[in-house]
Amino acid sequence: MYTTYDIEVAKRFTIYNSLFLDLPFDNIFRTGTMLPLLATSCQKGFEDGKSPREIIEGFFEEMMPQNSEKEQNDLLFQMIQYVERQVVLFDSIEDAAYEKINDLGGKGSIKALITRAGDDRKKEELIEKLKTFSVRLTLTAHPTQFYPGNVLGIITDMEDAIRHDDIGRINLLLQQLGKTGFIKREKPSPYEEAVSLIWYLENIFYQSVSDIMIRLLKMLDQPLHTWENPGLLKIGFWPGGDRDGNPFVTHQTTMQVAERLKKWILRCYYRDLRKLRRRLTFKHVEEVMLRVERGIYVTLFEEKPVFHSAEQLIEELLLAREALIKHHDGLFLELLDQFILKVRIFGFHFAYMDVRQDSRKHDGLWDELMGIEKAEWDSEESGQIEQILALKKLPKVEAFKDEFHREMLLSIESIGHIQRENGEDALHRYIISNCQSAKHLLEVFQLAKLTLDQENTGLPLDIVPLFETVDDLAAAPEIMSFLYQLPVYQKHLEQRGNKQTIMLGFSDGTKDGGYLKANWSILRAKEELTRVSRENGITVVFFDGRGGPPARGGGNMHNFYASLGEQVENAEIQVTIQGQTISANYGKQASCTYNFEQLLSAGMENHLYSDEERNLSESQRTLIAELADSGYEAYKQFKNHPKFVPYLEHVTPLKYFGMTNIGSRPLKRGKSEGLKFEDLRAIPFVGSWAQMKQNIPGYYGVGAAISEMEEKGKLKELKNLYQRSLFFRTLLGNSMQSLNKCFYPATAYLKKNPEYSQFWELMFEEYQRSIEAIKKVAEMDELMKDNPVIKTSISIREKIVLPLITIQQYAIQTMLEDGKDKAVLQKLILRSMFGIINAARNAA
């Protein structure tokens, strides 16, 4: 694969990159000619120990000594724009070669899975598991994608032109790219964010999910139209429902997004129906299909609902199916069955929306509610729970003075409206961020019950706690055990099929506890929650709040899910994906199909094949726990350093994340004036370290922990663990990615900064220590030696953006050393962010 990558990607980029120089734009030749010279100056300068300021100022002294400061800065901005477009070109080339550099029918594909299961006489076991299993990818409202929609469109067209080696078209698209702005002038609204992501539902997931399901069922000889688990592959959807700290999301937004989802799935059906009707032109069948097509048309375009539910539509399609078999020997039956399966998969909801809110917001609402009821809170949590459950009726919304509390209640009401319009699948979960107690879950349960279940027939909503910090993860099993044995909640779970979804936050877990401790704490929490749930007759479903980079639970997810072992419930795989991860891993038909199949196969393999690699022994567990505790202590000391928050606030580009106009969410939770670590969102936190090319959350504490274990004579045990445990191997493999994306020479000037020199030295020492320690454990002479394709991709991308990294650090260094902010330098920092993030593809 490495040779293929070199030919199909690396060399093609070199060839097509030269086309930029011929674009008929002002200054393009000068910029394109000067940029390689700057790149060389950056590379050589850092090798010689120069600072970014020395490199940039030295470059101008040599190349543009007579030019004014304004002209020099103008050139820097032009270079930033040029590099941004180089990144787009590289993305397109890599995407165009996707099928050639990934084995789509190899390990992890459904084809390989079914072949292996057949060879091992496990085919029937596989079919039975598939009848109850599910993979649910939730597209989140967290924005880490810096490309506006029109640029994404150009990338798609560019990829197609590259596939066909159409130089003329590539040249035209590069010209279009040169004229197209990369910056959004205004922040998108939550609804606009939702519309952007619905594009992926309509153009990628609708086709890919259907294709995988059809091929899978055909290979297993299962009937399409009666397959009992059409929800095997699901798409979740947070835009418009995720209220956690986003003051711009309202109940109207939620209903708007739900309406859009319904309209867009009906559009997909209408297009398919028109194609299908061209084949089904027979007596007894055609009239049914005409009736169906007309019904969808009127429902969609004339807004007079003919079909009120997916079930009603399926009834009509089954009539056509019956007639096709009875009168026409089942001619084109397969095409009709494929369409019926699509309707059963996507219903009238298209994607599964969630509502999410922070537990502290519910606390505030209940405080006001108790005031309206003229009651005082009990001093004990058990007493407060009794008070919550004793409430028989909610005051009218108008009785609440706090506008935000009124909005929260209307949001719960909107769930009922959406379920009536789009079906219960459209929105059937309420997620509680920062959940720290049983009371937090029951606050939402009782609000929802009194709003949505006034007839007492059963609450049509799953209440999902989100445990995030290390302490919350440790407390989670006790909290859930209490709830499972609480009669009122027990009854609710019975009505919901004795299934409880629990969300675990990789992003905030890593921010709070460091890389090793967070990942180990989450695995331990899953095992304990599985045990507690099984003891109470409950099937627990884990929903992982993962981000894009390894530091936030990203990286190689397939191996992670294949490695969980028997002590973790394997009912479903549920995971969040966002921003760049959506476009990079699921933004094209080929990549979407490949990655979806990999996740599905990981879940199946974890069920079918229980072996030593997937199940940790007691001695292995003890070793990982000791390592995690040691890493946690190192990270905790670093996090508690007096310069930790000031460094984030005053040195990194943290504050600029709020100025990028990529999303509607605020930079942090809460309204406090100063920066509080606990209020800081994971995306700007991780993204800031990525901009600095320091990637702290992805490795800090790993080197210290391994070194400490080595001093105790346990290096051989760690090497053995790496060879035998897929979980541990995946953990260190993802950390290698974070380390490979670091570039400490860019910030080495901070060694001389009187305020931050010691803090920088701490980071650099742990960076070096982590590299050497991981190489020892993995027995490699270089990081990622076992994954040369990804290693090469990272290397090329980092080389492309090296001038941007240098420009950004030049601006940061100049303002730090001169002791004053300057508008043009701030703009350089902000503009550099886009290319650096886009090139990394999973940096925030």
Side-chain angles (χ1 to χ4, degrees), residues 664-701:
S664 64
R665 287 156 50 101
L667 190 66
K668 60 187 179 70
R669 293 178 175 91
K671 296 180 180 178
S672 56
E673 286 298 316
L675 180 65
K676 288 185 180 177
F677 177 77
E678 57 271 22
D679 289 340
L680 190 57
R681 291 185 178 279
I683 286 173
F685 174 74
V686 174
S688 297
W689 293 113
Q691 289 286 317
M692 298 295 286
K693 290 295 157 188
Q694 291 164 340
N695 289 333
I696 290 298
Y699 72 85
Y700 200 95

Side-chain angles (χ1 to χ4, degrees), residues 312-366:
Q312 198 181 349
L313 172 58
I314 289 168
E315 279 178 26
E316 288 285 304
L317 294 170
L318 290 174
L319 288 176
R321 188 180 194 278
E322 191 181 327
L324 201 57
I325 294 169
K326 184 177 179 181
H327 301 290
H328 306 287
D329 298 321
L331 185 60
F332 296 125
L333 182 63
E334 187 178 337
L335 295 179
L336 180 57
D337 280 353
Q338 288 178 7
F339 181 68
I340 291 171
L341 179 63
K342 287 180 182 179
V343 178
R344 295 182 68 225
I345 292 169
F346 297 106
F348 274 17
H349 56 278
F350 210 164
Y352 298 75
M353 292 183 73
D354 292 328
V355 168
R356 184 171 77 127
Q357 184 54 278
D358 191 291
S359 64
R360 290 165 288 195
K361 303 296 184 186
H362 305 127
D363 285 342
L365 189 153
W366 274 93

Side-chain angles (χ1 to χ4, degrees), residues 215-244:
R215 283 188 292 110
L216 176 69
L217 295 176
K218 277 185 180 178
M219 283 189 266
L220 293 171
D221 298 317
Q222 297 297 304
L224 302 187
H225 73 293
T226 56
W227 171 247
E228 61 194 79
N229 184 19
L232 178 62
L233 304 178
K234 298 177 179 176
I235 308 299
F237 204 76
W238 272 14
D242 179 9
R243 288 161 171 68
D244 179 18

